[in-house]
Amino acid sequence: WSAANATGNPAAQIPYLLNSVSVFHNIPGVGGKGALKLDCRTLASIFNGTIASWSHPTITALNPDLKETLPPGDSVPITVVYRVTGSSSTYGLTNYFNKACPGAWPANQVGPTATNWAPGAKAVANSQEMVAELASGINPTTGQPVYEIGYVESGQGIKAGLKEIALVNAEGLYLTSDRADFSNAYLERILPDKFPASPEDDWNSVNLIAQPGNNTWPITLITFFYVRTDLSWLGEGGGLLKLLLSSTLSSSVAALMPDLGLIPIPSSLRQNYTSYINTRLVVDPAYASLWRVENTANRTLGNQDYVLSADRKTYMTDTLFGVERNVEVLGNKMKL
C-alpha cells in the first residue's frame, strides 16, 4: 500500500461486496443447516490434526446424537480438505481460528495459504474442486464414505447442496450462514464505523472476522477494487473504468448479488463511494462524458458505441431471436 502511494498517483481501495465463508461436512446420515455444530477451538483442532476422529469426545460432547450415526468403533477418521493455492476463504478461516480462539492457531499460519493442516489432509486447487470433493463424499477407489470437512464461500456451498456446520460467533451463539443477518439495515448499524473515512486511507487494519453482534456471521470478508486516482493516462479506458466502478455500486447490481451468494455493502456506503468515484477519480477531459449507461429510463442506447447495458444484446443476436419467435408463432398458427 505504501509503495503504491509512493508513485505520485495515489491508489484507492473501494469495497463493493462482502462474502461469507462456511465450513461443510459430508458425514453420511448427518444433515446440514447446523445439524452438526463445532466451536472455534474444536474446529481449529480438527484442521490442524489435534482432533483426528469424528468420535472424539470433544466433538460428541457438542453433538450427542452423532454417536448414533457414526459406524461402530472407537475411531472414525476425519479427512480435512483445504485449498493449496492462495484463497480468500483460507484467509478467512485461519483468521477466525487465530482471532476467535487465541492460541488455537499460530499467527504465522494466518493468510491465503497455510501449511499446518492435519496429517493426511487433501489439497484442492480451487473452490470448484472443494465443492466437488465435499459433494461426492465417497472414496472412488474403495466406494466407502470419506467423512470429510472443508470450507468454501457460503453461497457457493449452499447452492451446491453441501451440509453446513454451525459455527460460534463472537457472542458465543451457534449460527449457520443462512441464519446470520446480512440485511442492509443490520449492516448499516455495524459496518460504517469500521471502514476508513476515505478509500485513500490505509485499510490494512480493517477486519470483519469475529465481530460482535448476536446475528453477526463470524467469517465475513470484504472484496475491493484497487484503482489509481488519476486515470487520465488510460485515455478512453479511464472513462470506461470509472463508469464500471460506479455501476458496480449501483442499486441494480446490488439487487443481483444475493442470488449469486454475495452480499452488497450497505446503501449509504455505496452512495459515499459512488460520490468519491465521480468527484475524485480523474479521467482525460476528452473522454469524461463519453461513456454512458443504458437504464430503464433510456432504452435507446444499447447498440451504440460507448454504452454499458445489461438489457441489450447485439443487433444480430436480437434479430435472430426475433426471427425465431416469429417462426414459432407462424408454426402454431399453421397447426390451427
Side-chain angles (χ1 to χ4, degrees):
W1 181 251
S2 298
N5 284 309
T7 62
N9 186 0
Q13 288 183 241
I14 302 175
Y16 66 99
L17 66 83
L18 309 174
N19 67 316
S20 59
V21 176
S22 294
V23 181
F24 298 90
H25 73 88
N26 57 20
I27 302 173
V30 179
K33 293 186 176 294
L36 183 70
K37 61 181 185 180
L38 296 170
D39 59 42
C40 174
R41 195 166 298 277
T42 302
L43 267 177
S45 296
I46 289 172
F47 276 89
N48 69 18
T50 303
I51 293 177
S53 169
W54 286 114
S55 49
H56 192 282
T58 301
I59 297 177
T60 55
L62 293 170
N63 303 274
D65 294 339
L66 186 60
K67 289 182 179 180
E68 306 300 322
T69 307
L70 295 173
D74 295 331
S75 180
V76 180
I78 301 171
T79 299
V80 169
V81 187
Y82 70 97
R83 292 278 298 274
V84 68
T85 52
S87 78
S88 58
S89 55
T90 300
Y91 166 81
L93 183 74
T94 57
N95 202 306
Y96 171 61
F97 291 159
N98 180 262
K99 186 175 181 181
C101 42
W105 195 270
N108 65 359
Q109 290 294 318
V110 173
T113 59
T115 58
N116 62 329
W117 304 109
K122 182 167 185 175
V124 294
N126 51 50
S127 61
Q128 291 80 11
E129 288 188 12
M130 176 69 76
V131 167
E133 180 65 29
L134 294 174
S136 168
I138 299 296
N139 184 314
T141 302
T142 65
Q144 297 299 309
V146 285
Y147 295 92
E148 293 169 323
I149 188 171
Y151 57 94
V152 73
E153 285 76 6
S154 306
Q156 188 176 1
I158 291 170
K159 281 182 177 295
L162 301 185
K163 298 188 286 190
E164 186 176 5
I165 296 171
L167 306 184
V168 174
N169 68 9
E171 307 300 333
L173 303 174
Y174 282 98
L175 286 176
T176 48
S177 60
D178 62 334
R179 290 170 49 208
D181 194 343
F182 291 111
S183 67
N184 186 76
Y186 188 74
L187 295 177
E188 289 280 15
R189 293 201 305 271
I190 67 171
L191 280 188
D193 64 341
K194 295 179 172 62
F195 284 16
S198 168
E200 295 175 42
D201 292 338
D202 190 344
W203 289 68
N204 285 333
S205 62
V206 178
N207 189 320
L208 300 185
I209 303 296
Q211 290 294 318
N214 287 349
N215 298 316
T216 302
W217 184 246
I219 313 179
T220 303
L221 305 174
I222 313 168
T223 300
F224 299 90
F225 287 117
Y226 291 84
V227 60
R228 297 289 185 183
T229 54
D230 186 350
L231 303 175
S232 59
W233 59 279
L234 289 173
E236 66 180 33
L240 173 59
L241 178 55
K242 187 173 179 177
L243 184 61
L244 179 63
L245 293 172
S246 60
S247 297
T248 304
L249 290 167
S250 67
S251 57
S252 58
V253 171
L256 298 173
M257 289 185 181
D259 288 340
L260 301 173
L262 305 173
I263 306 148
I265 62 173
S267 55
S268 65
L269 292 178
R270 294 201 310 272
Q271 293 167 8
N272 291 344
Y273 297 135
T274 300
S275 177
Y276 171 87
I277 291 166
N278 291 334
T279 59
R280 182 70 179 90
L281 299 188
V282 178
V283 299
D284 187 324
Y287 304 106
S289 59
L290 183 64
W291 290 92
R292 296 172 290 176
V293 174
E294 183 182 49
N295 52 44
T296 55
N298 187 351
R299 293 187 178 278
T300 63
L301 305 176
N303 294 310
Q304 298 180 27
D305 293 335
Y306 305 109
V307 174
L308 285 181
S309 174
D311 299 321
R312 298 285 180 139
K313 306 173 183 67
T314 66
Y315 174 79
M316 182 60 71
T317 302
D318 198 50
T319 300
L320 288 174
F321 277 123
V323 171
E324 184 179 15
R325 286 192 298 269
N326 291 338
V327 169
E328 182 180 1
V329 171
L330 182 59
N332 290 333
K333 287 182 177 179
M334 292 177 67
K335 293 176 183 177
L336 296 177

